[in-house]
Amino acid sequence: MGKGTIVLAYSGGLDTSICIPLLKERYDYDRVVTVAVNVGQRDEEIEEATQKGEKLADRHYTVDVRERFVIEHIFPAIKANGSYEGYPMGTSLARPLIAQEVVKIARKEKAKAIAHGCTGKGNDQLRFDFIIRAAGLDVVAPIREQNLTRDWEIEYAKEHRIPVPVKKGKPWSMDENCWSRSIEGGKLEDPAYYPPEEIFLWTVSPQKAPAKPEKITLGFSRGVPDSLNGKKLAGYDLIQKLNILAGKHGVGRNDIIEDRILGLKARENYEHPAATVILTAHRDLESLVLTRQELVFKRMVDDKWSELAYKGLVYEPLYTALNAFIDTTQERVNGSVDLELYKGSVRVLGRSSPQAIYSGDLVSFDSASIDQCHAIGVSHYFGIQARLVHGMKERSKKTTAKK
């Protein structure tokens, strides 16, 4: 008798696939149960993970949480303008939900431990570990604990006749959900290496995008998108349609040097067409309906929210508190934004909202609704402290010059 049953968070990729035999050979588990969680990957990716899990593991589950992912994680990210170091987060948003679903299966299977295929250099290990340990279960991470390399994994997979989608010449590591797709590894680890077009699946090269720009209109209700070009759509459907629409115009690519949680710098490539368009529109609409003080403070809140979400700390009390504040601000974020998609860019053309804090009459140069003379009194006191300091400095300079 070995250690009994362990549940493995399973993607169908190289890392998680070799974990199945490793957990038996090197960790003495009797049964390996795999769990693939559908958060909006391509259908073929889920089908492949399901088929491989059923073939390689002792038992397999495929769980569909696409709608929950959108409502519970993507919508809050939109409200918080969720981005990390300049790009819309995707992988980090999905990890807590995936881990929570794997925990459910572990309890169903009466397993005391959960395994994942994360390395000891990335962020996902911490995101998974946080949720698993919070559930009171043990963590097993073969890739991290065995200090395995990509080349070793490929050879091990061949020895065990495990089909994997990577080769030594193109060992890309990819992660996908309906909000974002990340690509890393291999030659991409060289910051000077030009990413080949073959790594992109959601977006065309801007050079090959249509020569004619396309105009679209996004509608928002309480901070989340609910219509595209005047047609009401559920969140998941809207995101999928916008991924295709913006992707064909080359919108939504990022190639950045990212600071990981551990402090390591990594070169990352991302595709997120819908996320890029939606966040651009959302930020713009907020500027129309929120007060200056709300906008200034919310930027700080958004930054902190994004930091916690990037780390996967969804059980952190501050995360809950920040969401409560953000939700309050979003009550007035209603309206529509017109945008133009063209050759890899998205540009706001116009915006409107019934809650707009904007008066064309008051701001117009051709209106007399505001008596401009009233601003004279404000001008007398504007920057008075800085003017006093500046005056003292000038007088000091003159005194020094006379000496």
Side-chain angles (χ1 to χ4, degrees), residues 75-81 220-224 282-283 285-302 305 321-335 353 355-357:
F75 280 178
I78 294 171
K79 295 176 184 179
N81 298 306
F220 286 82
S221 178
R222 298 176 69 87
V224 298
H282 181 264
R283 290 189 188 97
L285 187 58
E286 280 192 329
S287 69
L288 182 66
V289 302
L290 299 184
T291 67
R292 176 193 295 180
Q293 296 301 325
E294 284 179 306
L295 289 168
V296 169
F297 189 73
K298 188 172 182 291
R299 288 188 194 105
M300 294 186 288
V301 172
D302 289 349
W305 186 96
L322 295 180
N323 275 314
F325 166 78
I326 292 170
D327 283 343
T328 300
T329 68
Q330 300 303 291
E331 292 174 1
R332 304 198 315 278
V333 184
N334 307 300
S353 170
Q355 277 83 36
I357 308 176

Side-chain angles (χ1 to χ4, degrees), residues 173-233:
S173 177
M174 303 180 185
D175 181 77
E176 184 177 296
N177 60 57
C178 64
W179 192 238
S180 176
R181 180 172 177 272
S182 67
I183 315 100
E184 61 183 351
K187 292 182 179 179
L188 291 173
E189 292 176 351
D190 178 1
Y193 176 71
Y194 292 15
E197 278 299 310
E198 69 183 52
I199 71 171
F200 299 107
L201 295 181
W202 290 10
T203 58
V204 302
S205 168
Q207 288 82 1
K208 295 182 179 180
K212 184 179 179 180
E214 183 167 358
K215 296 177 182 179
I216 64 170
T217 299
L218 267 182
F220 286 82
S221 178
R222 298 176 69 87
V224 298
D226 65 348
S227 70
L228 176 60
N229 294 331
K231 183 179 180 180
K232 290 288 183 179
L233 290 169

Side-chain angles (χ1 to χ4, degrees), residues 37 39 65 68-69 72-73 93-101:
V37 182
V39 285
V65 294
R68 277 189 58 209
F69 178 47
E72 297 177 13
H73 296 273
L93 299 180
R95 289 306 187 243
L97 181 57
I98 292 172
Q100 288 166 349
E101 291 301 312

